[in-house]
């Protein structure tokens, strides 16, 4: 049975008087995946943070797993949705394992320590992103790509139903880009999670996300099945540069002219 996890109605997203997204209607059920594409500065991160309930919309109604993010206790919200920010911060010294266990906090009581199940989920998540050997390493010693994969492992440990990922492929080599996308793609997502991700590669959005939202930066947007929305014409308008479609077997790719 599918569950409505994200329900946005007539949402306006703006910063400092600039409207980036106007009148957005978006409903995502369990198991669906949505890519957000747009130019630098088009408001993708701002929209994603708004959909995560981390900043208020300037108009409209948002429900996350049926909860009003403005009213819901943060821990209850964190059990439903997980958010990967564009930049990861490590204010305190800790090991990789200690960091990834932070993902369990929404599931633990106030004075409760992590138990065996939490440890198992953490080591499974580290293995899923290829960091099993790094458990005792100091977080500050990780490379950019390793730190990015740790952020993803933290989210996996959190076990939300809705993943909101801001540029999950940032800092990753091609091998790890595909591994991370496979991790979140439908056949592997037997836990039925819903995924929203900001991407910069339309070909990967087409290949890995059933739906795509194009954000034009002036309030206008276009959302629908990726196969229909991702066209050379729409992308040329989106990026302000002409693009051409290339076919490689069943895959379609887009290159700047
Ligand atoms: N607090 C703020 N005050 C003023 N402008 C802001 C503020 N926060 C963000 N902006 C601006 O809003 C615009 C949208 O920012 P956002 O980070 O959402 O863009 P983006 O589409 O994610 O871009 P990128 O692809 O570069 O990550 C940018 O021009 C940014 O400089």
């Amino acid at each position: 049975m599918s569950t409505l996890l994200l329900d946005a109605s007539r949402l306006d997203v703006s910063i400092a008087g600039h409207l980036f997204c106007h009148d957005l209607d978006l409903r995502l059920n369990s198991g669906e995946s949505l890519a957000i594409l747009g130019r630098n500065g088009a408001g993708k991160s701002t929209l994603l943070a708004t959909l995560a309930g981390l900043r208020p919309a300037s108009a409209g109604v948002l429900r996350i797993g049926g909860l009003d993010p403005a009213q819901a206790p943060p821990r209850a919200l964190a059990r439903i949705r997980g958010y990967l920010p564009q930049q990861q911060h490590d204010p305190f010294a800790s090991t990789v394992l200690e960091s990834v266990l932070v993902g369990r906090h929404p599931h633990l009581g106030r004075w409760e320590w992590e138990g065996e199940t939490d440890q198992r989920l953490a080591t499974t998540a580290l293995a899923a992103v290829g960091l099993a050997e790094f458990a005792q390493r100091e977080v500050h010693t990780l490379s950019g790509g390793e730190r990015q994969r740790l952020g993803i492992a933290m989210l996996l440990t959190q076990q939300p139903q809705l993943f909101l990922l801001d540029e999950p492929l940032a800092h990753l080599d091609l091998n790890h880009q595909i591994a991370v996308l496979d991790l979140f793609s439908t056949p592997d997502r037997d836990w039925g999670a819903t995924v929203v991700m900001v991407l910069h590669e339309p070909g990967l959005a087409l290949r890995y996300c059933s739906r795509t939202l194009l954000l034009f930066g002036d309030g206008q947007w276009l959302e629908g099945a990726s196969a229909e929305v991702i066209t050379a014409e729409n992308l040329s308008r989106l990026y302000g540069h002409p693009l051409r479609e290339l076919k490689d077997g069943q895959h379609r790719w887009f290159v700047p002219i």
Side-chain angles (χ1 to χ4, degrees):
M1 198 186 72
S2 71
T3 310
L4 182 61
L5 283 174
L6 190 71
D7 186 0
S9 301
R10 310 208 63 182
L11 215 64
D12 277 4
V13 175
S14 46
I15 306 175
H18 183 101
L19 186 61
F20 288 100
C21 186
H22 178 50
D23 239 2
L24 177 69
D25 284 317
L26 182 67
R27 270 160 210 90
L28 285 174
N29 288 304
S30 51
E32 288 194 291
S33 51
L34 175 85
I36 301 178
L37 301 177
R39 292 187 212 188
N40 289 147
K44 303 178 297 298
S45 297
T46 308
L47 171 62
L48 197 76
T50 307
L51 294 178
L54 296 171
R55 65 184 304 285
S58 38
V61 177
L62 176 70
R63 293 289 178 270
I64 300 169
L67 299 178
D68 175 354
Q71 306 290 334
R75 286 160 58 83
L77 212 50
R79 286 194 291 266
I80 297 174
R81 68 96 179 88
Y83 171 72
L84 181 77
Q86 208 175 68
Q87 265 128 26
Q88 318 274 342
H89 299 286
D90 298 304
F92 306 111
S94 62
T95 66
V96 166
L97 183 61
E98 285 164 350
S99 292
V100 83
L101 277 167
V102 170
R104 296 304 299 155
H105 286 188
H107 300 274
L108 299 174
R110 183 167 299 198
W111 305 111
E112 198 180 350
W113 289 94
E114 298 93 355
E116 258 179 47
T117 306
D118 304 307
Q119 295 278 345
R120 184 175 44 76
L121 287 168
T123 48
T124 304
L126 286 178
V129 299
L131 289 178
E133 313 289 309
F134 291 68
Q136 299 310 322
R137 276 275 291 279
E138 185 56 46
V139 171
H140 289 113
T141 68
L142 297 180
S143 73
E146 289 161 355
R147 181 64 189 84
Q148 179 74 353
R149 280 147 54 206
L150 171 58
I152 291 164
M154 285 168 78
L155 276 190
L156 294 175
T157 310
Q158 188 180 331
Q159 292 196 307
Q161 296 157 272
L162 170 66
F163 287 86
L164 298 153
L165 311 174
D166 197 349
E167 300 197 26
L169 309 185
H171 308 295
L172 299 186
D173 61 42
L174 281 175
N175 168 37
H176 285 109
Q177 286 188 26
I178 298 300
V180 162
L181 288 167
D182 278 343
L183 201 58
F184 287 104
S185 72
T186 312
D188 287 347
R189 250 185 307 121
D190 50 1
W191 14 284
T194 305
V195 185
V196 180
M197 51 179 120
V198 173
L199 295 175
H200 280 297
E201 171 51 71
L204 291 178
L206 192 52
R207 191 165 149 187
Y208 283 96
C209 296
S210 55
R211 292 165 60 180
T212 294
L213 170 71
L214 306 182
L215 199 58
F216 292 96
D218 58 357
Q220 295 185 65
W221 53 273
L222 183 64
E223 192 273 324
S226 297
E228 289 167 22
V229 167
I230 299 181
T231 63
E233 189 185 352
N234 285 341
L235 294 175
S236 301
R237 177 184 158 212
L238 184 75
Y239 293 114
H241 188 92
L243 284 120
R244 194 156 64 91
E245 179 177 328
L246 300 178
K247 282 202 173 71
D248 170 30
Q250 57 177 352
H251 299 307
R252 294 157 55 202
W253 300 99
F254 297 87
V255 291
I257 296 174

